[in-house]
Structure formats: structure tokens, C-alpha cells
Amino acid sequence: MDWFSQLTSGIGVYVALVVFTGGMAWRAWQWSRTPRSAVRLALYPKPKTAAGRFGKLLVDTFAAPQSFRIAPAIMVAAVLFHVAALAAFVGHLRLVHEFTPLVAVLGVEGMNTFAAWSGGAAGIIMLAAVLYWLGRRTFGAYKNLSVPEDYLLLALLLGIVLMGDHLRFVGGLHAATYQAWFASLMQFRPAFPAELASSTTRYALDWHMLFVDAFLIYFPFSKLTHAIGAFATNLVRSSE
Amino acid sequence: MEKQTIDTIVGTLDKRMNRQLQQYLDICARCSICKDSCHQYVATGDLKYLPARRSELIRQIYRKYFTKAGEFVPALYEARDPDENLLDELYDSAYACTGCRRCMYYCPFSIDNAWVVAAAKGILIAAGRGNEMVSQLTDAALFKADNMEMFNDIIVSGFADVEKELEEETGRHIPIPVDVAGADILYVALAGSHSIKPAAMIFDAAGANWTLSKFEAANYGFFLGDPAKAKLIADRFMNEAKALGVKEVVITECGHAYRVAEMFYEAWAKEKMPFKVRHILEVIDEYIKDGRITVDPRAIKERVTYHDPCQIGRNGGIYEQPRDIVKAIAPDFADMTPNRETQWCCGGGGGIVAMEEFNDVRIKSGGKKVEQIKATGATVLACPCENCRLQIAELNDVHDLGLRIVPVMELVAEAMVGPSAGPAA
């Protein structure tokens, strides 16, 4: 690994994970230490039971039906993006361990084909959603509401997705190669396997990881803390 | 701006900080989904009325003074020191906000921009930029509370005059009791007889053991954005209720007064009240359903529609009782679309009707309500909130709607049959 690879796909990964995990924990701890509003801030109607409130919290957070009714286009983009991002994340877990039950069903070739199609679809959907958001924020009537943070996050996402899509569609390397690199990360001895080290694809991987690292490091200090905060604020909506 | 003023502003925000406010400031994605939910932004397209923008102004100060990231890289968040420009925009966006919380309803994270606006008003007051008219009305209410011995006789004789008026109108003596210790109900009305006479007729017909508060329900401290003063104003009738030992405080047809008494007061007072708080329409609905008052189901011949005041509906949970009451006396009832939790704000909440500088945006922002009313074809609008009635009355004139705008209880008084029936108000 050269210094750039080490920075992005080696040591950078550990730094990003530590900052992300610590930062999110810090943010949650900060919120928990701030006293709750004594005033009731619920909206009506609201469920009468705790179970009902919990159910509504899940619906509001994961489906946001009210938002869909008033702004269907952006909500479709948001849901598609989040689902695709979740699918991509799950797909990346293959780097940690092969999905053996799926391989047993689909066979090695079938698994690779499935991963290629599902990963490719996720990558295209994420790219389309990010471009839509970028366009909406740049050319929309309310662009004056946007701040540099909004563009930074979109730029990082665009970088992650573009490089990810490059690895998926152009890279030409199979999962086993990336698994070897990932195994080295897990053993705290980051190194590229020979096939990756000798391929120009590693540049795409390095840039992909640079954007991922930066995104994870910035995450806890950004509006993206809605990833955990939205549960709390949506609960207030139907609180007692 | 002087450092001392900046320190005051930051200190005020610090004092107002709580978990919900902090989360609202931290997590807003500026997705602008709220833009189509706000009657003011829809009517004007002006950025300062976009709900997320109202909060963004506070967020800029919060980022600068309450987060390390904003302190070190302010440009990334447009974090900044408060200055006169910021306060100018904040004044317009905060005092124009009617607090309807329709934006919160539609926000995917349920961000309560009205809660952030409440903090914004606190900042404006601390910087000496609170709304002057509302501030004067607040101080007048507090002066009355502090000098009750000066006003007591005037108030009581005023109630006696209302009693006489009612006798002339109905041909019967309908008492307006005051200072009744141990009464079941302390009824808190508005200034003027319009919210007293129909209630007196209804309480009398129902045989209720009630007493009238010497203090009006309206709370300009709430509109001003000063919780300490708002509490002192509400203290007047809450302490009266405690002293009289009533079982419940019943708030007249006034949206914010009901929300202050039911949703805010115990939190401000840091104590549980020994009585419950109800809206007058909850009580009247119960009277009709329990047969304590009898109404003519065909009394109101015209088509009637009902406006859900934000503070009673979306923010208070009272949707069905008023509709049930209106349907019990008016066979031709037509609901507006949308209604209940998605209804449009009429544009008159949050004390804006008392602030002349917002007259243009206020009337413009009533456009959605006008469309809704027209679509029903109704000629009578039942409306249980004074501010909404004032606003819709003005819309009525401007758009020549030909509406009769009445409190729900006034329609009930018209529709009552039996011993207490007769023309009211």
C-alpha cells in the first residue's frame, strides 16, 4: 500500500470508524444530558397507548406518510435513496463474510450475478437520488435556504456513489479480492492483495474510501444526526 | 452589535435550551418539505416565511455558540454572530408566525418550528426588539392582576350589566355568578359580553354549578413569547380557581387560551393543578349528549361549516366535539377540505391580528382558508377561536364571502329549547 492507499483504505478507515462511533455516542449523550421540554409538544390526534405511540414512531420515522402526501417527489427520492443505501450496506457485509446460505441456494456464479444486479441497481438509484437532490437544492426556488454543509454532504455522497459505481461497473475485480483487503483491515494489518495492488482499480477504491472516510468523520457534526435524532423528535410528536 | 447584546442573546438562547429545541436545531435537513405546509410561504413565496428558514436564523446563532463544529468552521454552517440584519429578519419571521404547527405535521422529523420561534421571540425580547403592541397588552393584563382591588368593583358591576342585557334579550333572569366558592366550574371568558352571555344561558339550562372568572382568558404574554409573563397572566385565573376550590376550569372559545391552560401552565408552574382544564365545547357537547340541555336539531337552517382553530385542533386535540355540536343543531353541515389535523391556518393566530405591520401578509395568507370556505358553499361559519373569527371576518369583507361568523356556543344558544332558551348575544 502506498501512502495514499494507507491514508484512505488503511488507517483512514479506523479513524473514520472511531470518529463516527464516538461522535454519534457523544451527540446522543449530549442530548440525553439536556433537560426535556416540560411543555407538552405533541400533535393531535395521537395514539392513547404506549404501544400505539411506538408504532406511530416507527411509521413516522420509516414511512413519513404525511410528508409523502405533501411532497411526493422528494420523499420517493429519499426513500429510494435510504433503501438503496441500506441494501448497499448489507451488500458490503459480504466483504466481512460470504453470504453462505445464499451461495448454497444460488451457487457461486448465481451469487455473483445477484450481487452484480442488486449492487448495480442500488448504485444507480443512489446516484439518481443524489443528482436529484443536488439539482433541487441548486436550482429550486428555495436554494437560498441551503448552506455549504448541504452541498458538502451531497458532494461526499456523490463521490462515494460515483466511485462505488465505478468499482461495480468498470472495476472488473471480484468480491474475493475485496474480501482479502477487508480481512487485512479486520486483522489490523491493512494491505491490498496482489491482484488489487497491481490493478488501476485500486485508485477508484482509494477515492471511494476517501469519500467514505470523510463522510463518516463529518457525519456526527452534521444534520445527518437525524439518523438517530428523528426517532426522538418523532416520538415527541405523539408524546403524552 | 455590542458584545453585551450578543452575550444577552446567547444567554437567552442558553436559558431556553432544552432537548427538543437542541434536536430541532441539530437535525433539520433543510429539505424544505415544510414550504408547502405554511400558509404564509404559500401565499407570498417569501423566504423569511418558510418554516425551516424561521428556524435557520436561530440555528445560525446556535451553531456559532453552542457547537464546536460551528465555532471552528462557521462558514460551513453559515454560523454567525447575531446582528441587526439577523434581528430584523427574525422579527418579521417570528412575530408573523401564527404557531399553527402545520409544518411540524408534515415534517419527516416532526420538527416543531413554532417551538424554535418561541425561543426566537425570547431572543428578540432580550435584545429589546419584542413586539411593542403585544408587549403593551401583556403589561396591561399584568397591571390589572396587580391592582385587582382597583378593578374589582368595575368588573363585578360590568357582569351585573351583562346580566341585565341578558334579561332584556331573553325575558328571563339568567344569573352570572361570581366568586362562588366550591363551584364545579370556573368559566374563563374573554373581554366583552359575547363570550359570557351564551355560556351563561347554556350553564343555566344545564343546571351547572358555575362561577365566572374575573379575568379574561386571552394571554398576550404567550404571543409576545415571554413564558414568565404568560404564566403570570394565566396565574390570575388559575389562582382564582384554586382559591374558589372549583373542580374544573373551563376555557371559553379561544384557541391559545385553551392551549396555555391545558398544555403549558402546569409545566410553567411546576405543579399539578387540583382541577382539570376543559374547553367549553367539550362541556357543551357533554351537556347535549347527556340530555342536560335540549337543542332543536333543525334550528340553523343555513349551510354551516366549521373551522378547526390550530390551537384547539392540531395542537389541542379537539376535533369531534365541535362537529357533533354543530351537527346536532344544523342539518346542513359541510366540512372543509382539508380538515382536522391537516386544516389550513386561517392566518390570524399567534397574536398577528394585533400587529398592524403584518396586515398585508396576514390577509394574503388567508387565501387558502378563503378557498376552503368558498368550496363548502356555507353561509354560516362556526368558529371557536376569537383570533380566527377576527381574521376570517376581515377575509369575509375583503373577499365578499357573505358569511355569518359565529362562536359555536352562540349557535347552541340560538338552538336551545326549554326554560333557558331565547335570543342571546
Side-chain angles (χ1 to χ4, degrees), chain B residues 284-318:
Chain B
I284 294 173
D285 181 50
E286 192 178 274
Y287 287 168
I288 293 174
K289 285 173 180 163
D290 291 351
R292 287 180 67 176
I293 59 172
T294 309
V295 289
D296 175 359
R298 309 191 67 78
I300 314 297
K301 306 280 188 275
E302 307 99 312
R303 175 171 291 178
V304 182
T305 189
Y306 173 74
H307 166 63
D308 284 292
C310 305
Q311 305 304 344
I312 294 168
R314 191 161 39 239
N315 303 327
I318 298 174

Side-chain angles (χ1 to χ4, degrees), chain B residues 20-212:
Chain B
Q20 279 65 44
L21 181 59
Q22 194 176 26
Q23 287 171 337
Y24 297 149
L25 294 172
D26 279 333
I27 72 169
C28 176
R30 287 177 289 272
C31 66
S32 294
I33 284 176
C34 52
K35 75 185 167 70
D36 295 321
S37 70
C38 176
H39 55 291
Q40 288 180 349
Y41 184 75
V42 167
T44 64
D46 190 333
L47 186 71
K48 69 184 172 196
Y49 299 131
L50 198 154
R53 175 65 184 177
R54 297 184 211 259
S55 296
E56 191 63 23
L57 295 169
I58 296 299
R59 191 169 291 114
Q60 290 173 347
I61 304 172
Y62 167 78
R63 281 290 190 190
K64 176 82 189 278
Y65 286 95
F66 294 80
T67 69
K68 288 288 173 211
E71 190 184 333
F72 291 130
V73 203
L76 192 55
Y77 307 96
E78 292 187 356
R80 60 168 166 159
D81 284 325
D83 57 21
E84 294 300 333
N85 288 338
L86 185 141
L87 292 186
D88 286 345
E89 189 184 341
L90 196 60
Y91 179 90
D92 284 349
S93 70
Y95 278 113
C97 177
T98 57
C100 72
R101 299 166 95 216
R102 198 168 188 264
C103 52
M104 180 183 181
Y105 176 80
Y106 285 108
C107 175
F109 309 148
S110 304
I111 290 175
D112 186 354
N113 290 295
W115 192 236
V116 184
V117 161
K121 288 180 176 179
I123 283 173
L124 287 164
I125 294 167
R129 300 282 297 269
N131 182 275
E132 275 182 35
M133 173 55 77
V134 177
S135 184
Q136 284 171 18
L137 291 165
T138 303
D139 291 341
L142 291 175
F143 181 77
K144 183 179 165 187
D146 291 341
N147 297 279
M148 198 52 199
E149 66 287 354
M150 191 198 301
F151 292 102
N152 190 65
D153 291 348
I154 302 168
I155 291 168
V156 172
S157 79
F159 291 161
D161 290 343
V162 175
E163 214 172 55
K164 272 184 219 155
E165 268 178 48
L166 199 50
E167 192 162 350
E168 282 166 17
E169 288 169 9
T170 63
R172 283 183 317 283
H173 176 70
I174 295 170
I176 297 178
V178 187
D179 282 335
V180 180
D184 291 338
I185 291 170
L186 175 72
Y187 174 63
V188 190
L190 292 166
S193 64
H194 66 292
S195 67
I196 299 175
K197 288 192 283 184
M201 289 175 67
I202 293 164
F203 284 136
D204 185 62
N209 177 15
W210 72 291
T211 184
L212 179 62

Side-chain angles (χ1 to χ4, degrees), chain A residues 146-201:
Chain A
S146 303
V147 305
E149 176 193 18
D150 301 321
Y151 296 102
L152 173 66
L153 286 167
L154 286 172
L156 291 174
L157 278 174
L158 191 62
I160 292 170
V161 174
L162 277 176
M163 290 299 107
D165 284 350
H166 180 89
L167 292 170
R168 164 61 59 200
F169 297 115
V170 185
L173 295 178
H174 288 294
T177 312
Y178 298 114
Q179 281 168 349
W181 159 64
F182 217 76
S184 75
L185 274 175
M186 306 258 290
Q187 291 157 7
F188 296 101
R189 286 194 299 271
F192 284 152
E195 194 185 354
L196 186 55
S198 61
S199 163
T200 52
T201 299

Side-chain angles (χ1 to χ4, degrees), chain B residues 219-383:
Chain B
N219 194 319
Y220 282 96
F222 180 67
F223 294 146
L224 181 64
D226 187 330
K229 287 186 175 175
K231 178 191 170 285
L232 288 174
I233 291 172
D235 274 346
R236 302 177 310 168
F237 62 77
M238 289 297 194
N239 289 338
E240 188 184 16
K242 277 197 260 186
L244 294 174
V246 298
K247 290 182 184 145
E248 60 181 333
V249 166
V250 173
I251 305 292
T252 192
E253 294 191 25
C254 174
H256 78 280
Y258 171 71
R259 188 152 174 244
V260 163
E262 171 64 1
M263 307 291 168
F264 285 68
Y265 186 77
E266 286 188 347
W268 288 340
K270 297 186 177 71
E271 66 170 301
K272 178 101 184 112
M273 292 297 115
F275 45 77
K276 63 180 175 179
V277 173
R278 285 205 289 172
H279 189 269
I280 182 72
L281 295 185
E282 293 180 276
V283 177
I284 294 173
D285 181 50
E286 192 178 274
Y287 287 168
I288 293 174
K289 285 173 180 163
D290 291 351
R292 287 180 67 176
I293 59 172
T294 309
V295 289
D296 175 359
R298 309 191 67 78
I300 314 297
K301 306 280 188 275
E302 307 99 312
R303 175 171 291 178
V304 182
T305 189
Y306 173 74
H307 166 63
D308 284 292
C310 305
Q311 305 304 344
I312 294 168
R314 191 161 39 239
N315 303 327
I318 298 174
Y319 293 119
E320 303 311 324
Q321 299 94 327
R323 284 178 170 78
D324 288 349
I325 293 170
V326 174
K327 286 176 191 167
I329 57 179
D332 191 4
F333 173 74
D335 225 335
M336 290 188 217
T337 306
N339 55 56
R340 295 177 173 81
E341 65 269 31
T342 57
Q343 60 82 16
W344 281 100
C345 173
C346 66
I352 195 173
V353 288
M355 304 179 212
E356 271 186 28
E357 62 264 52
F358 297 118
N359 279 357
D360 286 348
V361 65
R362 175 169 63 79
I363 294 300
K364 224 184 237 184
S365 71
K368 282 286 176 190
K369 186 52 63 184
V370 169
E371 283 172 23
Q372 282 188 284
I373 293 169
K374 277 184 180 170
T376 65
T379 54
V380 176
L381 176 81
C383 178

